[in-house]
Amino acid sequence: NLELLVGRSAGQNHAVTFDLGRPDDIWLHARGCPGAHVILRLAGAEPSPRSLEEAASVAAFYSASRASTKVTVDWTRRKLVRRLGAPGLVSYTGEASLVVRPARGPGSN
């Protein structure tokens, strides 16, 4: 069962990433453009490729690149994401990237 947390504003991004995200959860964000911070909750397991792709598609959908057919989304462990002053601004390390089609995700209207 896929559990995603999605921030849709700077304040929500901050809360999703730093208040709700656990250190070993996966954090995702569309590369190089404004957009949602997405947390893929993990229950102690490694994320499946399908879970990563679905979470990345949601991050792409809730980004400024939503109208593109392909969006590059970076992902890393939440513990590797650091605050940069203003809410929603972060730096991160240890990332990998996926190129995905933007999609709202399973069960969305």
XYZ file of all heavy atoms in Angstrom:
815
model
N 0.845 -1.186 0.000
C 0.000 0.000 0.000
C 0.885 1.242 0.000
O 1.696 1.426 0.899
C -0.913 -0.044 1.222
C -2.080 0.899 1.098
O -2.333 1.450 0.028
N -2.793 1.083 2.186
N 0.723 2.091 -0.997
C 1.561 3.279 -1.177
C 1.067 4.415 -0.294
O -0.100 4.803 -0.375
C 1.504 3.690 -2.651
C 2.509 4.720 -3.129
C 3.922 4.175 -3.020
C 2.216 5.071 -4.581
N 1.926 4.921 0.577
C 1.571 6.066 1.408
C 2.446 7.246 1.007
O 3.672 7.199 1.156
C 1.754 5.759 2.895
C 1.311 6.920 3.770
C 1.461 6.664 5.259
O 1.869 5.549 5.643
O 1.187 7.585 6.029
N 1.792 8.297 0.476
C 2.484 9.502 0.045
C 1.990 10.693 0.834
O 0.790 10.828 1.090
C 2.227 9.776 -1.443
C 2.716 8.748 -2.444
C 2.323 9.167 -3.858
C 4.219 8.571 -2.348
N 2.903 11.571 1.186
C 2.578 12.861 1.786
C 3.025 13.918 0.785
O 4.148 13.854 0.277
C 3.317 13.037 3.108
C 3.144 11.921 4.133
C 4.053 12.149 5.328
C 1.698 11.814 4.570
N 2.157 14.883 0.487
C 2.440 15.871 -0.553
C 2.250 17.273 0.002
O 1.170 17.605 0.507
C 1.511 15.670 -1.779
C 1.830 16.684 -2.869
C 1.620 14.250 -2.312
N 3.280 18.105 -0.096
C 3.183 19.518 0.260
C 2.875 20.330 -0.979
O 3.474 20.117 -2.019
N 1.944 21.281 -0.885
C 1.538 22.052 -2.057
C 1.892 23.535 -1.946
O 1.568 24.309 -2.824
C 0.035 21.896 -2.279
C -0.436 20.454 -2.384
C -0.548 19.896 -3.764
N -1.155 20.745 -4.741
C -2.451 20.780 -5.059
N -3.306 20.005 -4.431
N -2.874 21.573 -6.002
N 2.529 23.923 -0.842
C 2.969 25.310 -0.641
C 4.292 25.253 0.116
O 4.696 24.188 0.597
C 1.936 26.086 0.176
O 1.890 25.583 1.512
N 4.949 26.394 0.254
C 6.227 26.408 0.981
C 6.050 25.900 2.407
O 6.835 25.093 2.893
C 6.827 27.814 0.974
N 5.002 26.362 3.088
C 4.756 25.922 4.463
C 4.439 24.442 4.547
O 4.922 23.738 5.437
N 3.606 23.960 3.614
C 3.280 22.529 3.593
C 4.507 21.705 3.252
O 4.720 20.627 3.827
C 2.167 22.246 2.589
C 0.805 22.729 3.017
C -0.248 22.477 1.951
O 0.021 21.865 0.917
N -1.452 22.959 2.190
N 5.330 22.177 2.299
C 6.552 21.450 1.952
C 7.443 21.294 3.176
O 8.000 20.222 3.429
C 7.314 22.159 0.833
C 6.709 21.930 -0.528
O 5.887 21.043 -0.719
N 7.108 22.744 -1.490
N 7.571 22.368 3.939
C 8.389 22.326 5.155
C 7.827 21.296 6.135
O 8.570 20.469 6.677
C 8.446 23.719 5.788
C 9.270 23.754 7.031
N 10.638 23.919 7.006
C 8.930 23.606 8.335
C 11.098 23.885 8.249
N 10.089 23.700 9.067
N 6.503 21.345 6.356
C 5.877 20.430 7.316
C 6.002 18.976 6.865
O 6.339 18.096 7.662
C 4.407 20.804 7.514
N 5.735 18.717 5.584
C 5.813 17.351 5.056
C 7.236 16.808 5.199
O 7.446 15.679 5.627
C 5.346 17.319 3.580
C 5.833 16.081 2.850
C 3.833 17.408 3.508
N 8.208 17.638 4.858
C 9.599 17.187 4.863
C 10.157 17.040 6.271
O 10.732 16.006 6.611
C 10.475 18.149 4.038
O 9.967 18.188 2.709
C 11.929 17.699 4.017
N 9.976 18.065 7.103
C 10.701 18.087 8.380
C 9.859 17.720 9.601
O 10.409 17.310 10.612
C 11.364 19.448 8.573
C 12.378 19.728 7.507
C 12.134 20.673 6.524
C 13.560 19.008 7.447
C 13.060 20.914 5.517
C 14.489 19.227 6.449
C 14.243 20.191 5.479
N 8.535 17.847 9.522
C 7.701 17.494 10.670
C 7.117 16.081 10.526
O 7.016 15.355 11.503
C 6.558 18.499 10.841
C 7.065 19.905 11.137
O 8.193 20.037 11.653
O 6.341 20.873 10.834
N 6.726 15.705 9.316
C 6.063 14.417 9.097
C 6.991 13.342 8.527
O 6.802 12.162 8.789
C 4.863 14.602 8.161
C 3.800 15.584 8.659
C 2.747 15.807 7.587
C 3.180 15.107 9.954
N 7.968 13.761 7.721
C 8.888 12.795 7.117
C 9.823 12.194 8.151
O 10.385 12.901 8.981
N 9.963 10.886 8.087
C 10.893 10.190 8.973
C 12.249 10.074 8.277
O 12.315 10.090 7.043
C 10.336 8.814 9.322
C 8.995 8.909 10.068
C 8.447 7.548 10.412
N 8.065 6.815 9.206
C 6.902 6.204 9.029
N 5.990 6.233 9.967
N 6.657 5.549 7.921
N 13.330 9.936 9.034
C 14.679 9.965 8.434
C 14.884 9.007 7.258
O 15.544 9.367 6.284
C 15.599 9.603 9.603
C 14.849 10.062 10.811
C 13.392 9.824 10.494
N 14.329 7.792 7.320
C 14.561 6.825 6.253
C 13.479 6.814 5.176
O 13.559 6.028 4.230
C 14.757 5.425 6.826
C 16.127 5.287 7.477
O 17.093 5.879 6.956
O 16.231 4.614 8.511
N 12.449 7.688 5.308
C 11.474 7.834 4.232
C 12.174 8.387 2.997
O 13.278 8.939 3.082
C 10.355 8.802 4.640
C 9.388 8.223 5.668
O 9.354 6.989 5.836
O 8.655 9.020 6.293
N 11.515 8.254 1.851
C 12.057 8.784 0.601
C 11.445 10.151 0.334
O 10.225 10.322 0.386
C 11.764 7.829 -0.584
C 12.383 6.446 -0.337
C 12.236 8.435 -1.900
C 13.899 6.431 -0.270
N 12.295 11.134 0.035
C 11.875 12.501 -0.296
C 12.064 12.680 -1.797
O 13.095 12.286 -2.348
C 12.738 13.480 0.484
C 12.507 14.923 0.180
C 11.616 15.753 0.808
C 13.179 15.729 -0.786
N 11.698 17.011 0.271
C 12.653 17.022 -0.717
C 14.184 15.470 -1.729
C 13.093 18.067 -1.524
C 14.609 16.510 -2.540
C 14.074 17.785 -2.428
N 11.061 13.274 -2.459
C 11.126 13.477 -3.909
C 10.742 14.903 -4.270
O 9.892 15.518 -3.599
C 10.175 12.528 -4.638
C 10.337 11.043 -4.385
C 9.351 10.565 -3.333
C 10.140 10.250 -5.661
N 11.334 15.410 -5.360
C 11.035 16.756 -5.853
C 11.448 16.841 -7.319
O 12.501 16.332 -7.703
C 11.813 17.789 -5.044
C 11.413 19.203 -5.311
N 11.896 19.919 -6.376
C 10.562 20.023 -4.658
C 11.364 21.135 -6.354
N 10.547 21.217 -5.315
N 10.608 17.495 -8.124
C 10.956 17.709 -9.533
C 12.216 18.566 -9.610
O 12.329 19.575 -8.913
C 9.802 18.379 -10.270
N 13.143 18.171 -10.440
C 14.432 18.861 -10.531
C 14.296 20.204 -11.247
O 13.687 20.297 -12.308
C 15.451 18.011 -11.274
C 16.818 18.706 -11.353
C 17.799 17.997 -12.217
N 18.177 16.731 -11.603
C 18.851 15.803 -12.237
N 19.186 15.959 -13.495
N 19.169 14.690 -11.626
N 14.886 21.228 -10.652
C 15.063 22.510 -11.323
C 13.823 23.365 -11.499
O 13.829 24.270 -12.325
N 12.763 23.096 -10.747
C 11.567 23.931 -10.867
C 10.802 23.913 -9.548
O 10.970 23.006 -8.751
C 10.672 23.453 -12.010
S 9.890 21.858 -11.727
N 9.954 24.933 -9.328
C 9.141 24.927 -8.119
C 8.182 23.747 -8.135
O 7.704 23.339 -9.197
C 8.350 26.242 -8.202
C 9.082 27.088 -9.183
C 9.755 26.138 -10.130
N 7.896 23.212 -6.943
C 6.962 22.105 -6.888
C 6.837 21.517 -5.510
O 7.453 21.975 -4.542
N 6.017 20.484 -5.432
C 5.721 19.808 -4.178
C 6.915 19.016 -3.668
O 7.684 18.461 -4.448
C 4.534 18.868 -4.383
N 7.018 18.978 -2.347
C 7.887 17.997 -1.704
C 6.998 16.792 -1.449
O 5.903 16.926 -0.902
C 8.424 18.513 -0.372
C 9.392 19.645 -0.499
N 10.236 19.984 0.530
C 9.648 20.513 -1.503
C 10.982 21.022 0.158
N 10.629 21.351 -1.076
N 7.455 15.626 -1.857
C 6.682 14.396 -1.683
C 7.487 13.444 -0.807
O 8.689 13.262 -1.014
C 6.366 13.743 -3.049
C 5.683 12.390 -2.862
C 5.491 14.665 -3.893
N 6.815 12.880 0.176
C 7.422 11.864 1.037
C 6.767 10.523 0.727
O 5.540 10.409 0.754
C 7.229 12.205 2.530
C 8.008 13.460 2.923
C 7.599 11.021 3.419
C 9.515 13.294 2.995
N 7.587 9.536 0.412
C 7.135 8.154 0.253
C 7.448 7.457 1.567
O 8.617 7.291 1.924
C 7.868 7.482 -0.909
C 7.698 5.963 -1.074
C 6.238 5.588 -1.254
C 8.546 5.466 -2.238
N 6.381 7.127 2.299
C 6.546 6.480 3.596
C 6.980 5.043 3.405
O 6.424 4.320 2.584
C 5.223 6.492 4.358
C 4.934 7.781 5.085
C 5.556 7.687 6.471
N 5.625 8.957 7.135
C 4.719 9.401 7.982
N 3.640 8.703 8.218
N 4.899 10.550 8.585
N 7.965 4.638 4.168
C 8.456 3.261 4.109
C 8.248 2.590 5.444
O 8.412 3.201 6.486
C 9.943 3.251 3.762
C 10.316 3.850 2.405
C 11.825 3.833 2.234
C 9.653 3.098 1.279
N 7.900 1.344 5.400
C 7.717 0.560 6.628
C 8.951 -0.312 6.843
O 8.859 -1.534 6.918
C 6.453 -0.281 6.525
N 10.110 0.299 6.880
C 11.335 -0.430 7.142
C 11.904 -1.196 5.963
O 12.906 -1.861 6.085
N 11.259 -1.114 4.809
C 11.721 -1.849 3.632
C 12.308 -0.885 2.608
O 12.139 0.325 2.714
C 10.548 -2.609 3.009
N 12.990 -1.438 1.645
C 13.464 -0.619 0.527
C 12.276 -0.337 -0.390
O 11.394 -1.189 -0.545
C 14.551 -1.362 -0.252
C 15.853 -1.461 0.494
C 16.443 -0.102 0.803
O 16.606 0.727 -0.106
O 16.736 0.141 1.993
N 12.244 0.836 -1.018
C 11.140 1.132 -1.931
C 11.231 0.281 -3.187
O 12.317 0.025 -3.691
C 11.333 2.606 -2.256
C 12.798 2.843 -2.068
C 13.215 1.919 -0.948
N 10.091 -0.167 -3.665
C 10.088 -0.910 -4.927
C 10.244 0.082 -6.074
O 9.896 1.260 -5.938
C 8.777 -1.673 -5.093
O 7.710 -0.770 -5.347
N 10.771 -0.369 -7.209
C 10.865 0.532 -8.374
C 9.506 1.127 -8.750
O 9.419 2.295 -9.104
C 11.413 -0.377 -9.474
C 12.185 -1.434 -8.738
C 11.405 -1.663 -7.460
N 8.450 0.325 -8.632
C 7.112 0.831 -8.970
C 6.670 1.927 -8.000
O 6.111 2.951 -8.409
C 6.101 -0.308 -8.975
C 4.725 0.188 -9.358
C 3.741 -0.908 -9.541
N 2.453 -0.315 -9.881
C 1.328 -0.953 -9.888
N 1.314 -2.237 -9.601
N 0.220 -0.348 -10.182
N 6.907 1.745 -6.698
C 6.555 2.766 -5.708
C 7.308 4.055 -5.964
O 6.735 5.148 -5.889
C 6.855 2.269 -4.292
O 6.018 1.206 -3.942
N 8.604 3.931 -6.267
C 9.404 5.125 -6.571
C 8.864 5.844 -7.798
O 8.748 7.072 -7.808
C 10.866 4.739 -6.806
C 11.727 4.556 -5.577
C 13.087 4.022 -5.967
C 11.857 5.862 -4.810
N 8.517 5.084 -8.839
C 8.011 5.693 -10.062
C 6.670 6.386 -9.822
O 6.441 7.491 -10.312
C 7.880 4.645 -11.162
C 7.533 5.265 -12.502
C 7.615 4.271 -13.645
O 8.476 3.387 -13.606
O 6.805 4.411 -14.572
N 5.786 5.764 -9.060
C 4.489 6.382 -8.769
C 4.664 7.656 -7.952
O 4.028 8.672 -8.229
C 3.574 5.393 -8.049
C 3.068 4.298 -8.963
C 2.113 3.338 -8.263
O 1.483 3.726 -7.259
O 2.002 2.202 -8.741
N 5.527 7.619 -6.942
C 5.763 8.802 -6.124
C 6.399 9.913 -6.957
O 6.047 11.095 -6.811
C 6.653 8.444 -4.933
N 7.326 9.556 -7.838
C 7.964 10.554 -8.706
C 6.949 11.172 -9.663
O 6.993 12.379 -9.936
C 9.114 9.917 -9.479
N 6.007 10.380 -10.158
C 4.972 10.907 -11.049
C 4.098 11.932 -10.338
O 3.691 12.932 -10.925
C 4.109 9.774 -11.591
O 4.863 8.950 -12.450
N 3.820 11.686 -9.059
C 3.038 12.645 -8.268
C 3.851 13.931 -8.062
O 3.321 15.038 -8.201
C 2.607 12.014 -6.925
C 2.013 13.061 -5.988
C 1.613 10.888 -7.178
N 5.139 13.794 -7.741
C 5.984 14.984 -7.576
C 6.030 15.787 -8.871
O 5.992 17.019 -8.851
C 7.394 14.577 -7.146
N 6.097 15.109 -10.003
C 6.114 15.798 -11.298
C 4.785 16.512 -11.556
O 4.758 17.640 -12.048
C 6.406 14.799 -12.416
N 3.675 15.854 -11.206
C 2.352 16.444 -11.423
C 2.188 17.731 -10.621
O 1.644 18.719 -11.114
C 1.252 15.448 -11.052
C -0.132 15.978 -11.296
C -0.702 15.891 -12.559
C -0.853 16.578 -10.287
C -1.971 16.396 -12.801
C -2.120 17.083 -10.516
C -2.683 16.994 -11.782
N 2.658 17.730 -9.388
C 2.519 18.903 -8.523
C 3.760 19.795 -8.610
O 4.265 20.270 -7.596
C 2.236 18.476 -7.088
C 0.863 17.876 -6.942
C 0.690 16.521 -6.724
C -0.273 18.670 -7.059
C -0.579 15.968 -6.604
C -1.545 18.125 -6.950
C -1.686 16.776 -6.723
O -2.951 16.239 -6.620
N 4.240 19.994 -9.827
C 5.392 20.873 -10.062
C 5.074 21.834 -11.197
O 4.081 21.671 -11.909
C 6.634 20.051 -10.420
O 6.577 19.618 -11.769
N 5.947 22.820 -11.382
C 5.784 23.772 -12.479
C 5.975 23.102 -13.838
O 5.618 23.681 -14.860
C 6.779 24.919 -12.308
N 6.500 21.883 -13.861
C 6.710 21.143 -15.117
C 5.558 20.202 -15.441
O 5.678 19.351 -16.318
C 8.013 20.345 -15.034
O 9.109 21.208 -14.916
N 4.425 20.360 -14.784
C 3.280 19.464 -14.941
C 2.860 19.249 -16.389
O 2.436 18.167 -16.759
C 2.101 20.043 -14.159
C 0.804 19.341 -14.406
C -0.379 20.081 -13.834
N -0.166 20.398 -12.437
C -1.138 20.613 -11.570
N -2.387 20.557 -11.957
N -0.883 20.902 -10.329
N 2.952 20.285 -17.230
C 2.494 20.178 -18.625
C 3.470 19.413 -19.520
O 3.137 19.079 -20.650
C 2.243 21.563 -19.204
N 4.668 19.120 -19.031
C 5.657 18.391 -19.822
C 5.280 16.912 -19.912
O 4.617 16.380 -19.025
C 7.034 18.505 -19.179
O 7.424 19.852 -19.087
N 5.722 16.266 -20.970
C 5.453 14.831 -21.087
C 6.429 14.013 -20.248
O 6.103 12.911 -19.835
C 5.519 14.362 -22.552
O 6.791 14.708 -23.079
C 4.416 15.005 -23.376
N 7.621 14.539 -20.012
C 8.625 13.855 -19.192
C 9.248 14.869 -18.231
O 9.621 15.970 -18.646
C 9.740 13.256 -20.057
C 9.259 12.174 -21.011
C 8.967 10.898 -20.281
C 8.553 9.806 -21.260
N 8.216 8.576 -20.584
N 9.360 14.487 -16.973
C 9.921 15.355 -15.938
C 10.975 14.553 -15.167
O 10.734 13.402 -14.804
C 8.819 15.852 -14.974
C 9.410 16.699 -13.857
C 7.749 16.627 -15.734
N 12.114 15.178 -14.910
C 13.141 14.549 -14.081
C 12.839 14.859 -12.622
O 12.651 16.017 -12.247
C 14.540 15.074 -14.456
O 14.790 14.765 -15.822
C 15.618 14.435 -13.584
N 12.770 13.818 -11.810
C 12.479 13.950 -10.385
C 13.647 13.357 -9.608
O 14.064 12.224 -9.871
C 11.161 13.233 -10.019
C 10.926 13.256 -8.515
C 9.992 13.873 -10.762
N 14.169 14.153 -8.683
C 15.231 13.676 -7.803
C 14.608 13.040 -6.567
O 13.552 13.475 -6.098
C 16.124 14.831 -7.355
C 16.986 15.376 -8.470
O 17.220 14.662 -9.469
O 17.440 16.531 -8.349
N 15.296 12.018 -6.032
C 14.848 11.418 -4.781
C 16.051 11.044 -3.931
O 17.137 10.778 -4.434
C 13.941 10.211 -5.029
C 14.598 9.019 -5.680
C 14.763 8.817 -7.011
C 15.178 7.894 -5.033
N 15.403 7.622 -7.241
C 15.666 7.031 -6.027
C 15.324 7.518 -3.693
C 16.295 5.831 -5.734
C 15.952 6.316 -3.399
C 16.424 5.487 -4.419
N 15.841 11.088 -2.622
C 16.874 10.729 -1.660
C 16.193 10.398 -0.332
O 14.985 10.571 -0.199
C 17.901 11.877 -1.492
O 19.030 11.411 -0.769
C 17.298 13.094 -0.804
N 16.948 9.922 0.615
C 16.411 9.699 1.961
C 16.125 11.058 2.596
O 16.882 12.003 2.420
C 17.393 8.927 2.835
C 17.676 7.533 2.344
C 16.551 6.599 2.643
N 16.847 5.274 2.097
C 16.063 4.247 2.242
N 14.935 4.349 2.903
N 16.395 3.090 1.712
N 15.069 11.132 3.368
C 14.694 12.395 4.024
C 15.825 12.920 4.899
O 16.044 14.121 4.996
C 13.413 12.171 4.849
C 12.536 13.394 5.031
C 13.123 14.553 5.794
N 13.481 14.195 7.149
C 14.432 14.855 7.835
N 15.087 15.870 7.312
N 14.726 14.484 9.055
N 16.579 12.026 5.525
C 17.657 12.469 6.413
C 18.776 13.199 5.667
O 19.612 13.854 6.291
C 18.228 11.297 7.205
C 18.902 10.231 6.360
C 19.284 9.048 7.216
C 19.763 7.879 6.387
N 19.885 6.667 7.196
N 18.790 13.125 4.338
C 19.807 13.806 3.538
C 19.309 15.143 2.972
O 19.974 15.750 2.142
C 20.274 12.896 2.401
C 20.904 11.578 2.872
C 21.246 10.691 1.678
C 22.137 11.840 3.720
N 18.143 15.594 3.438
C 17.568 16.881 3.020
C 17.790 17.878 4.154
O 17.509 17.581 5.311
C 16.051 16.740 2.719
C 15.459 18.080 2.301
C 15.817 15.690 1.639
N 18.306 19.071 3.811
C 18.610 20.102 4.806
C 17.844 21.381 4.493
O 17.693 21.759 3.340
C 20.110 20.430 4.800
C 20.990 19.243 5.122
C 20.999 18.955 6.617
N 21.777 17.765 6.911
C 21.256 16.604 7.284
N 19.964 16.461 7.383
N 22.013 15.575 7.553
N 17.424 22.069 5.548
C 16.743 23.362 5.416
C 17.723 24.414 4.909
O 18.883 24.412 5.277
C 16.230 23.826 6.772
C 15.269 22.895 7.376
C 14.885 23.359 8.789
N 13.836 22.469 9.233
C 13.855 21.759 10.330
N 14.841 21.855 11.169
N 12.876 20.952 10.634
N 17.194 25.366 4.115
C 17.996 26.502 3.658
C 17.251 27.803 3.981
O 16.786 28.497 3.089
C 18.216 26.447 2.145
C 19.216 25.452 1.605
C 19.307 25.559 0.089
C 20.595 25.686 2.210
N 17.096 28.117 5.234
C 16.460 29.381 5.609
C 14.955 29.363 5.461
O 14.259 28.775 6.268
N 14.438 29.993 4.409
C 12.996 30.150 4.227
C 12.309 28.793 4.092
O 12.875 27.858 3.523
C 12.712 30.997 2.994
N 11.075 28.680 4.605
C 10.327 27.414 4.471
C 10.241 26.961 3.015
O 10.005 27.772 2.121
C 8.938 27.753 5.012
C 9.169 28.884 5.956
C 10.309 29.672 5.349
N 10.440 25.671 2.808
C 10.340 25.100 1.469
C 11.642 25.081 0.686
O 11.752 24.387 -0.309
N 12.631 25.857 1.123
C 13.928 25.862 0.432
C 14.848 24.850 1.096
O 15.034 24.875 2.315
C 14.566 27.249 0.485
C 13.829 28.357 -0.247
C 14.575 29.672 -0.094
C 13.646 28.014 -1.718
N 15.397 23.952 0.283
C 16.227 22.874 0.825
C 17.429 22.614 -0.075
O 17.472 23.029 -1.233
C 15.428 21.556 0.965
C 14.253 21.712 1.929
C 14.949 21.053 -0.384
N 18.388 21.915 0.485
C 19.462 21.294 -0.299
C 19.434 19.821 0.055
O 18.906 19.425 1.100
C 20.816 21.919 0.035
O 21.199 21.596 1.345
N 19.992 19.004 -0.829
C 19.979 17.566 -0.570
C 21.176 16.917 -1.225
O 21.777 17.453 -2.150
C 18.667 16.930 -1.022
C 18.247 17.240 -2.445
C 18.576 16.409 -3.498
C 17.490 18.380 -2.721
C 18.179 16.684 -4.805
C 17.089 18.668 -4.018
C 17.433 17.820 -5.052
O 17.046 18.107 -6.333
N 21.518 15.740 -0.702
C 22.653 14.974 -1.221
C 22.212 13.528 -1.400
O 21.143 13.138 -0.947
C 23.843 15.027 -0.251
O 23.427 14.519 1.017
C 24.379 16.441 -0.096
N 23.063 12.746 -2.045
C 22.809 11.324 -2.195
C 21.659 10.981 -3.115
O 21.142 9.871 -3.077
N 21.278 11.937 -3.963
C 20.088 11.736 -4.787
C 20.326 10.833 -5.990
O 21.435 10.692 -6.474
C 19.522 13.081 -5.274
C 20.338 13.766 -6.347
C 21.460 14.643 -5.801
O 21.746 14.629 -4.594
O 22.076 15.349 -6.618
N 19.239 10.244 -6.434
C 19.145 9.563 -7.718
C 17.996 10.236 -8.447
O 17.246 11.012 -7.854
C 18.872 8.072 -7.516
N 17.858 9.970 -9.732
C 16.816 10.628 -10.516
C 16.018 9.619 -11.323
O 16.533 8.566 -11.710
C 17.433 11.641 -11.481
O 18.135 12.628 -10.774
N 14.767 9.971 -11.551
C 13.876 9.205 -12.419
C 13.271 10.178 -13.418
O 12.999 11.329 -13.074
C 12.726 8.597 -11.615
C 13.050 7.503 -10.627
C 11.849 7.237 -9.728
C 13.407 6.239 -11.378
N 13.035 9.727 -14.633
C 12.310 10.525 -15.618
C 10.946 9.876 -15.770
O 10.839 8.691 -16.079
C 13.063 10.571 -16.962
C 12.270 11.363 -17.989
C 14.447 11.190 -16.777
N 9.900 10.669 -15.482
C 8.543 10.125 -15.409
C 7.546 11.038 -16.110
O 7.830 12.207 -16.379
C 8.104 9.946 -13.937
C 8.957 8.899 -13.239
C 8.126 11.269 -13.192
N 6.378 10.487 -16.366
C 5.222 11.272 -16.831
C 4.501 11.797 -15.600
O 4.262 11.039 -14.656
C 4.249 10.407 -17.603
C 4.700 9.974 -18.961
C 3.561 9.195 -19.632
N 3.965 8.784 -20.949
C 3.866 9.565 -22.041
N 3.380 10.775 -21.936
N 4.261 9.109 -23.205
N 4.124 13.079 -15.594
C 3.357 13.598 -14.457
C 2.003 12.872 -14.342
O 1.315 12.659 -15.335
C 3.141 15.068 -14.816
C 4.252 15.389 -15.767
C 4.478 14.127 -16.547
N 1.655 12.478 -13.119
C 0.369 11.815 -12.860
C -0.016 12.070 -11.414
O 0.848 12.140 -10.535
C 0.469 10.319 -13.115
N -1.303 12.171 -11.161
C -1.788 12.442 -9.806
C -1.546 11.281 -8.867
O -1.486 11.468 -7.666
C -3.273 12.758 -9.821
C -3.567 14.102 -10.378
C -5.013 14.396 -10.208
N -5.118 15.631 -9.459
C -6.211 16.315 -9.352
N -7.308 15.882 -9.933
N -6.236 17.424 -8.665
N -1.461 10.082 -9.390
C -1.205 8.934 -8.530
C -2.412 8.041 -8.411
O -3.498 8.371 -8.863
N -2.239 6.882 -7.789
C -3.320 5.902 -7.683
C -4.463 6.442 -6.846
O -4.258 7.094 -5.848
C -2.649 4.706 -7.009
C -1.395 5.211 -6.415
C -1.014 6.462 -7.146
N -5.681 6.208 -7.306
C -6.853 6.587 -6.539
C -7.239 8.044 -6.630
O -8.134 8.486 -5.937
N -6.554 8.843 -7.450
C -6.874 10.265 -7.566
C -7.942 10.488 -8.621
O -8.093 9.718 -9.550
C -5.616 11.056 -7.955
O -4.651 10.947 -6.962
N -8.673 11.574 -8.477
C -9.679 11.950 -9.477
C -9.045 12.838 -10.514
O -8.262 13.638 -10.241
C -10.831 12.708 -8.837
C -11.534 11.853 -7.794
O -11.140 10.718 -7.551
N -12.552 12.403 -7.204
